[in-house]
Amino acid sequence: MTDVAAASTAYQNALKVIESVEPRIAGAIRSELTDQRESLKLIASENYASPAVLLTMGNWLSDKYAEGTIGHRFYAGCQNVDTVESVAAEHARELFGAEYAYAQPHSGIDANLVAFWSILAHRIEGPELDRAGVKNMNDLDEDAWETLRKKFGEQRMLGMSLDAGGHLTHGFRPNISGKMFHQRSYGTDPQSQLLDYDAVAAAAREFKPLILIAGYSAYPRRVDFARMREIADEVGATLMVDMAHFAGLVAGKVFTGNEDPVPHAHVVTTTTHKSLRGPRGGLVLASEEYAPSVDRGCPMVLGGPLSNMMAAKAVALAEARTEEFRTYAQAVADNAKTLADGFLKRGTKLVTGGTDNHIVLLDVSAYGLTGRQAESALLEAGIVTNRNSVPSDPNGAWYTSGVRLGTPALTSRGFGADEFDRVAELVVDVLSNTTPGLTAKGVPGKAKHVLADGVSDRVHAASAEMLEANPLYPGLEL
Ligand code: DSN
């Protein structure tokens, strides 16, 4: 980590300033650090950004409007934002070997919206304008515009189902993607719970999607993106990969060849705050062919860029270019394997029977628990996780039958094989000592849990030893 003494001074002074205006906010900031320091953070999508990344977010770049693109803004005085966005894009291109990078999306959903609309612009709008013999959509007459709007709404998307590990933004009804597109899902093999590429190909041949999406939030395995591209090419689809979860493993060169989406996909989206360990935000990478339409993210679906966040993305991407980051990324994957093995040897059922990325997905039904009960019992013992569906989950997306764990955050703290095996032991201790709680009617429900006496204390004590030996932001005093 960076110069900790300087970071301590910076935070102490910043908190003094915040305190003088709204002490409750300063208090919440202090207490968030304490909470993060004192719990086992196993949420697969969370991490700890460096002080350099965190400090870059809080400054006057936040106050500048800069709608438009680098060197082509709708506001005057954007020279510093141009520098920030250029550096972020340059690092992203070099780090991922991408032809084009767009650093403006504020989040993963924004990055996916930019990707969807850039694909629609390239594949649907462009040919329609050509047919009408005009360059700009404002030059279409009312009838042609109505035809184009209707065509946008007729397009199809094929993505991984939510219970197999796909993401809400991959075409599910509660999300705008499920309302914009006719959507179908591919799942995983019922026995192995692994992706069945032949089944994906068969679904693609039948459905003929405009967009084939690969990528996941809760699938504990690597994906063969070369095979996904073959499938997309065969049916004339655009291959979009959402690598939000595993961008750090791509940046750290743990996923290479067919497992690296960038050489195979037309468009790749990501968040920057998960395994990539940057600020909360999004990023789109694209081939030359899609670059001009991705570059229209603003005004297509975005407003003014968050220039302070783009600056922090640039700093995080600079960190991710280092040998130290590669070592970290490899440790994230190695630690996940240790964690999975720790569960398997203690008899816990894992979705797909293991992991080869940063995610371990427990099926807690054999403990007689829902994911919700398991999540609450673990939290009571100081272990922070999130419940998650398992394939064909009988308990649906709210109660679920699974708990998702990930190694990026604790690996950033320095946890290695011994600690992750111990983490598996502690999680098993909690789950095997938890029973469903009773509802108001006195019958076992799906939400409440009862953790046996003494378990929380012993798990807290064992965690505290590991957490103290691997401090978060060592030396940082508030
Ligand atoms: N919420 C993120 C996750 O936890 O995976 C995905 O958007």
Side-chain angles (χ1 to χ4, degrees), residues 42-65:
L42 284 161
I43 292 182
S45 47
E46 293 186 5
N47 211 329
Y48 306 106
S50 72
V53 168
L54 296 174
L55 285 166
T56 309
M57 294 185 222
N59 60 70
W60 30 94
L61 281 166
S62 164
D63 296 332
K64 186 76 195 98
Y65 248 120

Side-chain angles (χ1 to χ4, degrees), residues 45 167 217 245 274 404:
S45 47
H167 191 251
S217 280
H245 257 267
K274 298 188 173 88
R404 186 186 66 166

Side-chain angles (χ1 to χ4, degrees), residues 34 45 65 84 89 111 119 130 151 174 229 297 310 318 329 340 402 436 458 470:
T34 307
S45 47
Y65 248 120
V84 161
I119 295 166
D130 288 348
K151 276 201 171 173
R229 177 60 185 260
M310 292 197 294
R458 91 172 158 248
N470 296 279

Side-chain angles (χ1 to χ4, degrees), residues 114-129:
V114 169
F116 297 150
W117 281 102
S118 65
I119 295 166
L120 288 168
H122 182 68
R123 298 279 310 271
I124 308 297
E125 183 183 304
E128 213 50 38
L129 297 188

Side-chain angles (χ1 to χ4, degrees), residues 128-186:
E128 213 50 38
L129 297 188
D130 288 348
R131 222 185 323 277
V134 297
K135 283 213 156 45
N136 190 306
M137 74 191 101
N138 291 330
D139 297 331
L140 290 174
D141 64 33
E142 284 305 306
D143 285 349
W145 176 236
E146 274 313 306
T147 305
L148 176 56
R149 274 169 32 81
K150 190 157 171 272
K151 276 201 171 173
F152 283 145
E154 285 167 353
Q155 303 309 314
R156 292 186 288 269
M157 168 194 282
L158 177 64
M160 193 176 204
S161 70
L162 205 55
D163 68 344
H167 191 251
L168 260 180
T169 55
H170 298 182
F172 296 94
R173 287 181 185 177
N175 181 259
I176 188 171
S177 57
K179 299 173 174 78
M180 274 171 65
F181 292 101
H182 297 288
Q183 188 270 358
R184 264 200 217 168
S185 311
Y186 55 85

